[in-house]
Amino acid sequence: MHSLIERNTCTDVCIPRDYLVIMTTARRNPAPYIVKSPSYTDFYKLSDQQITSICPGKKVSDSTVHHVKGLRYSQNIPVEYTSSFENEKWVALLNRSRNLDTFWLRVFNKPRSISKKKFDNLQFMKQVLPIDVNNFYDNIFSCLKTVQ
């Protein structure tokens, strides 16, 4: 995947959305990559109250953590893993989940803030960027935090 993206990166990346377009269009056959853009609302705190280990096996001959290609967390089912991106067969991590009723807390309640200095640097950088991306950098001001 990484080499396809590198080969197809022929334009400048001015805003984060440009990365999504490049990743989606990097492959045509057998099908384009499916790219999901995470939001600040997609990140949750997972403490040791919910899972003890992400290792799928317990015996020597079982799968190890190196075989895990993806983890899927849900509030109402045990944590699941997959060892293949092709078939995406999800299997529960047996005896690893402690309490499924634990309340999930969001890591961020609002978009991350940036410092005044970083905001000023981004505004200065707009001089060399295409005019149609200026709106993105102007709206970052709503997330500005004060530096003490």
Side-chain angles (χ1 to χ4, degrees):
M1 176 176 187
H2 295 283
S3 64
L4 279 174
I5 292 170
E6 288 294 324
R7 280 186 272 163
N8 290 315
T9 305
C10 57
T11 61
D12 293 331
V13 176
C14 299
I15 58 175
R17 173 87 172 103
D18 294 345
Y19 284 113
L20 296 175
V21 173
I22 290 169
M23 288 185 275
T24 304
T25 59
R27 181 175 77 172
R28 292 188 188 111
N29 292 321
Y33 290 121
I34 298 170
V35 182
K36 298 178 182 176
S37 176
S39 170
Y40 71 92
T41 59
D42 296 330
F43 296 91
Y44 293 91
K45 293 180 184 176
L46 297 173
S47 66
D48 59 353
Q49 296 174 357
Q50 292 156 322
I51 188 167
T52 58
S53 172
I54 62 168
C55 188
K58 290 189 174 188
K59 298 182 295 194
V60 175
S61 60
D62 289 343
S63 296
T64 65
V65 73
H66 299 288
H67 296 108
V68 174
K69 302 294 184 206
L71 293 169
R72 181 164 57 187
Y73 296 87
S74 179
Q75 292 184 356
N76 301 324
I77 60 174
V79 176
E80 298 175 315
Y81 79 96
T82 184
S83 57
S84 173
F85 288 125
E86 282 76 34
N87 63 10
E88 288 197 24
K89 177 183 170 191
W90 295 95
V91 181
L93 285 172
L94 300 176
N95 300 325
R96 302 295 186 179
S97 298
R98 287 187 176 166
N99 185 1
L100 297 178
D101 297 330
T102 304
F103 184 70
W104 287 38
L105 298 173
R106 283 205 166 108
V107 176
F108 308 110
N109 293 324
K110 59 182 181 178
R112 298 286 311 262
S113 302
I114 62 171
S115 67
K116 173 83 169 108
K117 181 178 180 180
K118 187 174 281 190
F119 176 76
D120 291 340
N121 287 340
L122 290 171
Q123 298 306 309
F124 182 75
M125 188 178 70
K126 287 191 324 186
Q127 299 173 15
V128 295
L129 295 174
I131 293 174
D132 56 339
V133 300
N134 286 355
N135 190 34
F136 173 80
Y137 292 101
D138 290 338
N139 290 333
I140 290 178
F141 182 73
S142 62
C143 304
L144 189 64
K145 70 176 179 181
T146 57
V147 177
Q148 299 167 346

